């Protein structure tokens, strides 16, 4: 047993990507076990490894953890990325939950039927630029600090960067009106552990392509 | 200013109900503001009170908290309903998240089109009896304790009792294969703060009806 966390998921972003980001940001090496077929999922379900029969599942510290938020909370706390007290945690939670909402929209874009894609894209851009990004732009402007919460690197910074980059994949100039988010993006991308994760050959996964969707459906449906 | 937490939401369960349950279980009195019109909601947005333009909103300890999970985690942490260490918290989080997935199906149910309702009800029954309830039945059976985690009352117990009662409203015999959960239900229902919350006149909201659905659509639909 290597002692490293072991991630069980398909070979793609989905609901595991935020966990990869968090572990990478914390400088924690991890292993991955990819589900390729429905049988791979069924085997995990049958041997009782999946509490609610679902992935993501992360083997860590003797536990088989499921539920991406539970896993994220555990990693963030263990590696001191969750603020210094209850109030900082509250802020981090609010920021992370909102960014997760936007992530869901971005994630589901590839699964939209052809006739809904354009509308969905418009919704993504509208929500990103009118609901979410202005909040983080203002947070950074109001306190003038490098990080979102408590003048210290936290999970909120990691998840925001992840989302900013995904949003840019969707629409490259989406940060045009957000100068502080642009400098935030540059600054956080240069943190050594994150810089490493952003390099080719890291465990960061590429965006889901439409051609990969049928294989995914076979595993999970 | 009363010092009590103040909840802003529609006059119904929705995403605020778990918050009401948790505060009540912790014995914390709270006030409520009910959204009745689109104008009220738009005013809240204009006043900059809703961080992401959404409710639930809970004003507590000088913060205007949004995002249900953030609110619940804060309350659980503050009132010692979140386990004694990181590993207990991990268990509580896993249990709560699983139950929340089941509750999400119930949350969306009133808004599904009439022709989909029967199928959705079957899905709820299937998930409750095959995926979620067996897990908690087993947890209780294996440790033989009164509470889900750490032999102590926690957020996980509150979330589970809420889920059990809510599913039972739709599927009365749903606990028939789950003796541990039946005993758990009685035990939790008899805890003083929860017993009080289950009495008529408490802040607990009734199941959503057509009127509630109409109000929600009127306020939030673009």
């Amino acid at each position: 047993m290597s002692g490293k966390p072991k991630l069980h998921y398909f070979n793609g972003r989905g609901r595991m990507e935020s966990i990869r980001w968090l572990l990478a940001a914390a400088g924690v090496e991890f292993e991955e076990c990819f589900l390729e077929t429905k049988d791979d999922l069924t085997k995990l379900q049958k041997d009782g490894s999946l509490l609610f029969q679902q992935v993501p599942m992360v083997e860590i510290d003797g536990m088989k953890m499921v539920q991406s938020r539970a896993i994220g909370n555990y990693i963030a706390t263990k590696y001191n990325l969750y603020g210094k007290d209850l109030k900082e945690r509250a802020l981090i939670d609010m920021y992370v939950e909102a960014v997760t909402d936007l992530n869901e929209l971005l994630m589901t874009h590839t699964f939209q039927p052809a006739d809904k894609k354009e509308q969905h894209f418009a919704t993504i851009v509208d929500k990103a630029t009118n609901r979410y990004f202005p909040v983080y732009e203002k947070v950074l402007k109001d306190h003038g600090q490098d990080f979102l919460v408590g003048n210290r690197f936290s999970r909120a910074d990691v998840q925001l960067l992840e989302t900013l980059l995904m949003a840019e994949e969707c629409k490259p100039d989406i940060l045009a009106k957000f100068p502080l988010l642009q400098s935030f993006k540059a600054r956080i991308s240069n943190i050594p552990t994150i810089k490493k994760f952003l390099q080719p050959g890291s465990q960061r996964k590429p965006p889901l392509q439409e051609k990969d969707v049928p294989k995914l459906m076979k595993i999970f449906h | 200013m009363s010092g009590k937490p103040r909840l802003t939401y529609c006059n119904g369960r929705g995403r605020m109900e778990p918050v009401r349950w948790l505060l009540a279980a912790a014995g914390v009195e709270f006030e409520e503001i009910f959204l009745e019109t689109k104008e009220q909601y738009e005013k809240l947005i204009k006043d900059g009170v809703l961080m992401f333009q959404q409710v639930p909103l809970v004003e507590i300890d000088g913060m205007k908290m949004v995002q249900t999970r953030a609110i619940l985690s804060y309350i659980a942490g503050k009132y010692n309903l979140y386990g004694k260490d990181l590993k207990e918290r991990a268990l509580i989080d896993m249990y709560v998240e699983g139950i929340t997935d089941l509750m999400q199906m119930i949350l969306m149910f009133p808004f599904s089109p009439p022709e989909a309702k029967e199928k959705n009800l079957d899905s709820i029954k299937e998930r409750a009896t095959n995926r979620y309830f067996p897990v908690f039945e087993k947890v209780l059976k294996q440790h033989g304790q009164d509470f889900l985690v750490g032999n102590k009352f926690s957020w996980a117990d509150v979330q589970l009792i809420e889920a059990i009662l809510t599913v039972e409203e739709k599927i009365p015999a749903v606990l028939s294969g789950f003796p541990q959960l039946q005993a758990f239900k009685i035990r939790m229902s008899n805890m003083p703060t929860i017993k009080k919350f289950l009495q008529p006149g408490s802040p607990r909201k009734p199941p959503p009806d057509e009127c509630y659905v109409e109000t929600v659509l009127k306020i939030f639909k673009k």
Side-chain angles (χ1 to χ4, degrees):
Chain A
M1 204 186 83
S2 71
K4 292 182 197 171
K6 191 158 149 181
L7 278 49
H8 296 260
Y9 202 61
F10 74 93
N11 190 357
R13 290 181 178 177
R15 295 188 185 287
M16 189 63 101
E17 193 70 355
S18 298
I19 294 164
R20 297 182 184 107
W21 268 89
L22 210 48
L23 285 168
V28 177
E29 280 182 29
F30 55 91
E31 293 173 358
E32 300 200 74
C33 192
F34 297 122
L35 304 183
E36 301 274 328
T37 66
K38 200 173 180 58
D39 285 346
D40 290 340
L41 178 62
T42 310
K43 186 173 178 298
L44 278 179
Q45 289 168 334
K46 285 216 168 96
D47 66 27
S49 294
L50 307 179
L51 190 67
F52 301 111
Q53 296 154 32
Q54 296 165 311
V55 286
M57 189 267 275
V58 174
E59 296 181 72
I60 184 168
D61 297 339
M63 300 181 285
K64 287 184 162 71
M65 285 200 74
V66 296
Q67 294 291 341
S68 38
R69 280 179 176 88
I71 298 164
N73 289 355
Y74 183 80
I75 294 166
T77 309
K78 182 175 177 180
Y79 297 103
N80 293 309
L81 293 170
Y82 219 161
K84 71 179 200 295
D85 57 28
L86 198 52
K87 282 210 169 176
E88 283 195 356
R89 230 178 72 199
L91 270 178
I92 290 169
D93 278 342
M94 284 192 275
Y95 297 161
V96 166
E97 282 296 304
V99 136
T100 303
D101 283 350
L102 180 55
N103 266 9
E104 288 268 326
L105 272 183
L106 289 162
M107 247 203 307
T108 53
H109 188 60
T110 320
F111 295 95
Q112 296 300 313
D115 59 343
K116 293 232 164 87
K117 266 204 155 74
E118 204 179 313
Q119 172 68 38
H120 195 253
F121 180 80
T123 303
I124 289 173
V125 174
D126 173 50
K127 291 257 160 90
T129 55
N130 292 326
R131 175 174 287 189
Y132 296 110
F133 292 171
V135 173
Y136 301 105
E137 181 79 7
K138 182 171 192 282
V139 166
L140 293 168
K141 184 169 190 192
D142 284 350
H143 62 42
Q145 292 164 4
D146 282 355
F147 306 106
L148 284 171
V149 178
N151 208 11
R152 206 179 114 180
F153 184 52
S154 80
R155 174 191 196 184
D157 304 300
V158 180
Q159 315 277 202
L160 178 59
L161 176 63
E162 176 189 3
T163 302
L164 293 179
L165 295 178
M166 279 213 301
E168 276 187 328
E169 280 168 355
C170 201
K171 186 176 190 284
D173 64 350
I174 203 169
L175 291 187
K177 296 200 177 122
F178 303 100
L180 293 179
L181 289 182
Q182 291 175 37
S183 49
F184 173 87
K185 176 188 133 190
R187 200 164 57 242
I188 306 300
S189 298
N190 273 317
I191 291 176
T193 48
I194 296 199
K195 190 170 188 169
K196 189 171 169 200
F197 189 61
L198 291 174
Q199 267 152 14
S202 84
Q203 285 159 299
R204 187 183 184 211
K205 301 294 173 276
L208 192 68
Q209 310 272 314
E210 269 187 56
K211 64 176 173 63
D212 298 322
V213 173
K215 178 179 173 187
L216 210 58
M217 297 304 243
K218 270 212 202 95
I219 302 176
F220 292 107
H221 287 269
Chain B
M1 205 186 81
S2 70
K4 291 183 196 168
R6 197 162 84 166
L7 281 50
T8 301
Y9 200 67
C10 303
N11 189 356
R13 291 181 180 176
R15 294 189 184 284
M16 189 62 100
E17 195 71 353
V19 177
R20 298 183 184 108
W21 267 92
L22 198 53
L23 285 169
V28 177
E29 280 181 32
F30 54 91
E31 294 172 355
E32 300 199 72
I33 293 182
F34 298 121
L35 294 185
E36 257 132 38
T37 67
K38 205 181 181 58
E39 290 69 43
Q40 237 182 316
Y41 172 54
E42 281 168 352
K43 183 173 187 300
L44 282 177
I45 294 176
K46 227 163 78 171
D47 292 346
V49 159
L50 304 177
M51 189 180 280
F52 302 104
Q53 298 156 20
Q54 297 165 311
V55 285
L57 166 69
V58 174
E59 294 168 82
I60 184 169
D61 297 339
M63 298 181 287
K64 288 182 164 58
M65 286 200 74
V66 295
Q67 294 292 337
T68 320
R69 280 177 179 87
I71 295 164
L72 290 168
S73 291
Y74 181 78
I75 295 167
K78 180 175 178 179
Y79 295 103
N80 293 311
L81 294 170
Y82 219 162
K84 72 178 198 298
D85 58 27
L86 191 52
K87 284 218 168 169
E88 283 194 355
R89 232 177 71 199
L91 273 177
I92 290 169
D93 276 342
M94 283 193 275
Y95 296 164
V96 163
E97 285 296 304
I99 297 165
T100 302
D101 283 349
L102 177 60
M103 292 296 276
Q104 176 75 9
M105 296 173 81
I106 295 173
L107 181 79
M108 301 310 302
F109 181 78
F111 299 93
S112 50
E115 61 272 16
K117 281 204 154 66
E118 194 181 325
K119 178 167 148 281
N120 287 342
L121 191 61
D122 285 343
S123 292
I124 291 171
K125 181 177 181 186
E126 195 273 329
R127 283 284 148 92
T129 51
N130 294 333
R131 178 172 287 190
Y132 296 108
F133 288 173
V135 170
F136 303 108
E137 180 78 8
K138 185 176 178 204
V139 165
L140 292 167
K141 185 163 189 199
Q142 281 188 335
H143 62 43
Q145 292 164 5
D146 282 357
F147 306 107
L148 285 172
V149 178
N151 208 11
K152 199 178 132 183
F153 185 53
S154 79
W155 177 16
D157 301 301
V158 182
Q159 198 67 81
L160 182 56
I161 181 70
E162 177 190 3
I164 286 172
L165 294 178
T166 311
V167 175
E168 270 189 334
E169 278 169 354
K170 299 203 127 25
I171 305 159
V174 75
L175 286 193
S176 59
F178 303 104
Q180 298 282 338
L181 291 182
Q182 290 173 36
F184 175 87
K185 174 189 147 190
I186 293 170
R187 218 159 49 235
M188 291 303 119
S189 302
N190 277 315
M191 291 190 63
T193 50
I194 295 188
K195 189 168 189 169
K196 189 172 169 199
F197 188 63
L198 291 175
Q199 268 151 13
S202 85
R204 189 184 184 210
K205 300 295 173 274
D209 57 15
E210 270 176 39
C211 183
Y212 174 72
V213 170
E214 259 176 54
T215 309
V216 169
L217 293 175
K218 183 180 71 170
I219 298 175
F220 296 109
K221 210 167 180 154
K222 289 216 166 139

